[in-house]
Amino acid sequence: MGNYRIAVLPGDGIGKEVTSGAVEVLKAVGTRFGHEFTFQYGLIGGAAIDEAGTPLPDETLRLCEQSDAVLLGAVGGPKWDQNPPHLRPEKGLLAIRQQLKLYANLRPVVCHDSLAVSSPLKPDVIRGVDFIIVRELTGGIYFGQPSGRVVENGEEKAIDTLLYKKEEIERIVRMAFMLARGRKKKVTSVDKANVLSSSRLWREVAEEVAKQFPDVELEHMLVDNAAMQLIRAPKQFDVVVTENMFGDILSDEASMLSGSLGMLPSASLSASGPSLYEPVHGSAPDIAGMRKANPIAAILSAAMMLRLSFGLTAEAEVIEHAVQQALTAGLRTADLAQGSGRIVSTDEMVEEIKNAVLDYTEIAQIMTVYA
Ligand code: IPM
Ligand code: MG
């Protein structure tokens, strides 16, 4: 059975609570399936600024490079909001994405049936939603130079640069097409080609890549329209591919289709080394330490790790079914509290999911799949 080294970077706020939940569930998978997971902890974000004076210490980066995969919580909080740009927690996240070459951010958006009533959207609009956002993660306006503040002729200005190289677009669009092949065979490429040069290049490259995938349908959608379509008719989407900032914005919007931002996992795949897995939600400083946070996004991120980094498909499915079971049994963290169900703490939710993993038998799984 396998031996896997996992770097755990809890970060700030609820990042600590939710990663510890995901680690417990991974341990349960280890026990149940005879795998050995080794967890080594590193600092990132505000916690790293406080303890090591930088949002991404070299030690953390080395730890990640020597691991098979990275599990991250969240970064940020009001404590560091006034810091200069290089000493902001978010800088640590951007730096690790760049250093580990995590160019492909996969954010699956699935509406769990039992949560359709938790979303502010109408249940019949979102029931059955199942698509994936493929967000470019190491280019675009997040990283383009020049970027910063300047004073010119006594006038204060700030600049950010949205830049994409052709090959950066090519590899992320190709990833989207490959994913679509295993799904409903439809790629929606989101851009702002009516205004932006970078988007016009994006569209051209998407067309070119599409030629290698004649079995997959490609459609282009302007980002403002995409924001509207996500709410109007989200079931039309299968694979949505887009640049860094559009993906950031659309994925928060899309999280509401799954019931809560607390439900959305993500995988950031590397061009070379280990990949990183993190919940899409942030550090939620307002509820940090209160044991109210929803651990499911982090737990589902761990499932993505098992599937995508370790090839442990069955084990990933066991976690996903355990989550399903806990939700069907009516357990709800505060963010899911609309509608029916019983409000539980982070720990109670983790415990339930962990026990479902430990109790897993093939028969039980067959029953959940075909029930
Ligand atoms: C995300 C977050 C980050 C981003 C922040 C924390 C820098 O919002 O992963 O979506 O903007 O990419
Ligand atoms: Mg975001």
Side-chain angles (χ1 to χ4, degrees):
M1 293 278 115
N3 237 306
Y4 306 94
R5 276 169 311 165
I6 302 172
V8 184
L9 316 181
D12 308 317
I14 61 167
K16 297 188 184 72
E17 295 149 63
V18 300
T19 44
S20 94
V23 165
E24 281 198 44
V25 172
L26 283 171
K27 283 183 182 161
V29 169
T31 307
R32 180 64 190 76
F33 291 89
H35 300 300
E36 195 167 324
F37 298 115
T38 315
F39 301 97
Q40 282 176 300
Y41 288 78
L43 292 166
I44 193 166
I49 295 171
D50 289 351
E51 282 195 41
T54 164
L56 180 64
D58 286 344
E59 207 184 322
T60 300
L61 194 57
R62 271 198 303 277
L63 169 70
C64 295
E65 283 164 352
Q66 288 159 9
S67 302
D68 298 311
V70 183
L71 178 69
L72 187 135
V75 299
K79 182 173 177 194
W80 308 279
D81 271 353
Q82 306 309 322
N83 284 15
H86 70 285
L87 286 181
R88 290 186 60 101
E90 292 79 7
K91 198 76 186 177
L93 188 55
L94 298 183
I96 201 170
R97 288 174 178 170
Q98 194 170 39
Q99 295 290 330
L100 297 180
K101 304 189 175 67
L102 307 173
Y103 75 99
N105 183 220
L106 314 186
R107 297 184 160 182
V109 181
V110 177
C111 177
H112 295 261
D113 251 5
S114 51
L115 290 186
V117 290
S118 301
S119 169
L121 299 167
K122 288 204 185 91
D124 48 314
V125 174
I126 60 169
R127 209 168 266 136
V129 158
D130 180 1
F131 64 89
I132 183 162
I133 297 180
V134 179
R135 170 188 175 192
E136 201 291 326
L137 203 61
T138 50
I141 201 161
Y142 274 55
F143 296 96
Q145 291 299 327
S147 164
R149 311 266 304 228
V150 276
V151 179
E152 252 174 31
N153 304 326
E155 200 180 11
E156 227 182 309
K157 301 180 186 177
I159 181 166
D160 294 293
T161 302
L162 204 181
L163 183 141
Y164 269 108
K165 292 187 209 148
K166 193 173 169 190
E167 62 260 38
E168 288 176 314
I169 303 172
E170 239 164 42
R171 64 180 178 179
I172 193 75
V173 172
R174 200 174 309 116
M175 170 72 77
F177 272 94
M178 288 187 318
L179 287 170
R181 245 186 194 159
R183 300 175 50 99
K184 287 171 267 171
K185 298 192 166 52
K186 179 177 170 191
V187 170
T188 305
S189 172
V190 172
D191 63 35
K192 188 72 185 171
N194 52 348
V195 177
L196 302 175
S197 303
S198 55
S199 279
R200 285 193 279 271
L201 177 63
W202 185 284
R203 204 172 264 223
E204 266 171 50
V205 174
E207 290 286 343
E208 245 172 64
V209 174
K211 289 188 193 135
Q212 299 153 29
F213 297 84
D215 52 324
V216 178
E217 178 198 344
L218 168 67
E219 73 173 355
H220 302 285
M221 195 178 277
L222 295 173
V223 64
D224 46 353
N225 183 31
M228 185 272 281
Q229 294 295 342
L230 275 176
I231 300 301
R232 192 189 72 84
K235 280 176 242 181
Q236 68 185 286
F237 296 108
D238 179 23
V239 177
V240 176
V241 62
T242 192
E243 66 94 40
N244 205 341
M245 188 166 66
F246 296 162
D248 177 45
I249 297 169
L250 293 180
S251 58
D252 265 34
E253 186 191 1
S255 72
M256 279 299 128
L257 306 169
S258 69
S260 157
L261 185 53
M263 292 296 300
L264 230 59
S266 89
S268 301
L269 306 181
S270 173
S272 45
S275 295
L276 178 148
Y277 300 83
E278 61 168 318
V280 170
H281 64 71
S283 57
D286 51 324
I287 58 161
M290 293 164 70
R291 316 306 295 176
K292 276 167 76 168
N294 185 348
I296 292 180
I299 291 170
L300 292 176
S301 301
M304 289 185 88
M305 173 190 292
L306 296 184
R307 180 180 285 116
L308 300 175
S309 279
F310 307 154
L312 300 175
T313 311
E315 288 82 341
E317 279 172 12
V318 167
I319 294 183
E320 285 155 1
H321 286 128
V323 167
Q324 197 82 54
Q325 250 173 277
L327 293 173
T328 309
L331 274 74
R332 300 283 182 273
T333 40
D335 56 310
L336 303 172
Q338 266 171 315
S340 59
R342 180 166 65 86
I343 302 209
V344 297
S345 67
T346 310
D347 310 69
E348 285 170 284
M349 184 64 98
V350 169
E351 197 62 22
E352 181 85 9
I353 295 170
K354 199 176 83 179
N355 289 335
V357 169
L358 289 171
D359 290 349
Y360 156 85
T361 62
E362 264 160 56
I363 295 296
Q365 189 177 7
I366 291 165
M367 302 288 285
T368 18
V369 176
Y370 295 103

